[in-house]
Amino acid sequence: GESVGLHLPTLSVQEGDNSIINCAYSNSASDYFIWYKQESGKGPQFIIDIRSNMDKRQGQRVTVLLNKTVKHLSLQIAATQPGDSAVYFCAENSDSGNMLTFGGGTRLMVKP
Amino acid sequence: DGGITQSPKYLFRKEGQNVTLSCEQNLNHDAMYWYRQDPGQGLRLIYYSQIVNDFQKGDIAEGYSVSREKKESFPLTVTSAQKNPTAFYLCASSFRGPQHFGDGTRLSIL
């Protein structure tokens, strides 16, 4: 498949370990945040979202943490599996519509 | 199955040629979007449409055109004025929540 990003920051973890992917967002007025997973040659896939009135939200094996004070978002993946290998993007929404601003992405590599 | 279908998966353009990328959704979403993705970069917005028969320019609209004649369809034309069209093009749609994406079209220059 095609490479999504050749020069992305990369996080390499051992299978079974927990992964933490970080994102600094730019707009203090942003009130909705989304994490996407993108596998090579495919479109981004929704993982989890969080609104600004929350600081933590959990899904299946994933947790998103939001720190509005320092404009920081993180995605935690528990018991990382080889199928988690992908590029992960954060996105923020700061208007009343559905417009998103995307971060540059982080490549997660899972070592067996 | 509900989703977003982009076609073709791979497309080649000759110099001076316009090409059209297809995007169809059966999610009944009002809003649709086109993004461009280059290696090492995030997604950049080309055009978006919040409703049928209306669309707005995004951050990098020069050299591109769109139409929104039907709710389910939002085709993107890459014109000859776009001097660096080689990229991965992604279409998305949404309704009050996260945007959902198709699997993209990779455009290359012959």
Side-chain angles (χ1 to χ4, degrees), chain A residues 12-25:
Chain A
S12 184
V13 301
Q14 202 70 39
E15 181 179 359
D17 288 351
N18 296 336
S19 303
I20 300 177
I21 300 171
N22 297 303
C23 178
Y25 64 93

Side-chain angles (χ1 to χ4, degrees), chain A residues 48-106:
Chain A
I48 192 168
D49 58 2
I50 188 168
R51 297 203 175 271
S52 59
N53 60 352
M54 303 173 68
D55 53 19
K56 180 179 180 179
R57 191 168 187 216
Q58 290 184 290
Q60 187 177 12
R61 278 201 310 119
V62 295
T63 301
V64 55
L65 298 178
L66 175 63
N67 185 330
K68 295 181 288 292
T69 302
V70 295
K71 294 189 289 186
H72 184 266
L73 193 67
S74 69
L75 177 70
Q76 300 179 3
I77 304 174
T80 312
Q81 302 168 0
D84 295 326
S85 295
V87 176
Y88 289 81
F89 291 97
C90 65
E92 60 184 293
N93 169 256
S94 57
D95 64 10
S96 58
N98 291 327
M99 306 305 298
L100 296 178
T101 301
F102 285 83
T106 297

Side-chain angles (χ1 to χ4, degrees), chain B residues 36-74:
Chain B
R36 171 179 172 139
Q37 187 174 37
D38 293 284
Q41 298 189 34
L43 280 66
R44 292 185 290 167
L45 183 65
I46 305 172
Y47 267 98
Y48 64 99
S49 169
Q50 302 280 33
I51 198 168
V52 175
N53 291 323
D54 184 57
F55 50 82
Q56 305 295 329
K57 293 182 178 180
D59 301 321
I60 55 165
E62 186 175 351
Y64 301 97
S65 66
V66 293
S67 63
R68 187 83 186 280
E69 298 176 0
K70 299 186 294 183
K71 186 176 187 177
E72 59 270 22
S73 179
F74 191 39

